[in-house]
Amino acid sequence: MKKTTFLFTCLLSTILFAQNKQEQVLEQLDQNTQAYGEIAHKIWSFAEMGYQEEQSVALLQKTLKEEDFTIEAGVAGMPTAFIASYGSGKPVIAVLGEYDALPGLSQKAVAHKESNGGVAGHACGHHLFGTASAAAAISIKHYLDNTGTSGTIRFYGCPAEEGGSGKVYLTRAGLFDDVDAVINWHPGNSNGADPGAALANKSAKFRFHGIDAHAAGAPEKGRSALDGVEAMNYMVNMMREHVPEDTRIHYVITDGGKAPNVVPDFAEVYYYARHTTRDVLIDVFDRMVKAAEGAALGTGTTMDYEMIGGTHELLPNLTLQKLMYDNLKEVGGYTYTPEEREFAEDIAKSLNTDLDVKNVEGISEYNPIPEAGGSTDVGDVSFTVPTVGLYTATWVPGTPAHSWQAVAAGGTSIGTKGMMVAAKTMAKTGMDLFDQPEILKAAWTEFEEKRGEDFKYIPLLGDREPALDYRN
Ligand SMILES: [Zn+2]
């Protein structure tokens, strides 16, 4: 009896000790809001596109190095990919960070559309993504130090999420193979931690080669590469009627010739295909390739294509997700200052919507089966390691990603406040994973069950090297 009481008291004091230390770490993180806000704002100003994120990476590496993280730079053949590591041995917990901007979306931090004078903008909030993740990794490091806990915390610097599939190359290179759990987040217009959903995605540039000629003087000598593109588009558009309902196909003609009086000898069309499951997607994509081959045959041109991106759908892990959700509820949302409120009202007006501050101050209800809209290269990671995520209100409620309104809010204190909700929730989740190995164990059981016994990781973009120049 006495022994039981003694053990119980020991256990209780261990839990209280851990809780107390966690609170200290989170308080310290909170006190650093301004410093992290400044880092995020710098990356927002750099607004560097995929595989060009040199300044953003240098700043994040410097921040992590100052906290005694060891940096492995330029991993998996990508100069702007890196791994920052602290500690040693198991478990290994990883936090993902992104930092690429989107072309054509330069925008000032104001509540009306106005270019910042650049070529790109952080319309997906990846400046906040990278910074909050670095902040979480640093906080977890403090926790390991303060409590004498053993294990490794890593920050993965993941370039070119927007179409460059950076994480696919990190996964393919085996850089997640010894990781026990992966934590990540994404900026958004409310606070929530549902199991993620994403569409598997394959993208490629189809290039047609013809014969140039005077379009009026000697048209019979020419073979139009643009005809090849148009014939392919026509066939793919007819195909839409005969693909599974949830398929998404979209394209842009990236080169259609230069002048109407010259039969173009080169034309290019850039395609995305997506579906909730990658097996369906692979089939749809193969049929698109057949359409391209048929188009070339019929127009007397030749065709080749280059895979640009390819990502898996997301494999959710409910064990980890529940932990993240509980932690998010504990961290809670935030409130606007009068100035932030005024800015938010103006942004809401520009979106023809009423401002609903519930999305900022509260936490969205747990939705066990969210619908997939976009795609993410986190998908490939989630099939390699149990992966958990959340989203927070870094944008004014109602704001769609990839809009000027997202760039604008991300450049203000609203972005910083939302980012800190994410940083704290991820830090807390990471600390819990070090404290409670039984959660990791349950997460792995669920992961292996869901992934299936004969799962083999096959990257959808094949064996190509990273498309380092895809934004040039
Ligand atoms: Zn994004």
Side-chain angles (χ1 to χ4, degrees), residues 203-208 224-240 249-253 267-273 284-299 301 303-305:
S203 65
K205 289 181 176 173
F206 293 86
R207 299 182 177 119
F208 289 82
S224 169
L226 179 60
D227 285 354
V229 165
E230 288 191 278
M232 175 185 178
N233 293 350
Y234 185 63
M235 280 188 270
V236 173
N237 285 329
M238 285 199 296
M239 219 176 90
R240 290 179 197 277
I249 303 173
H250 20 260
Y251 62 85
V252 287
I253 296 176
E268 182 186 82
V269 59
Y270 185 4
Y271 265 95
Y272 270 41
V284 167
F285 185 84
D286 288 348
R287 288 168 66 195
M288 284 164 51
V289 173
K290 289 269 175 255
E293 286 166 358
L297 190 65
T299 55
T301 58
M303 183 280 300
D304 52 67
Y305 69 95

Side-chain angles (χ1 to χ4, degrees), residues 123-136:
C124 211
H126 294 180
H127 62 301
L128 304 166
F129 191 153
T131 308
S133 296

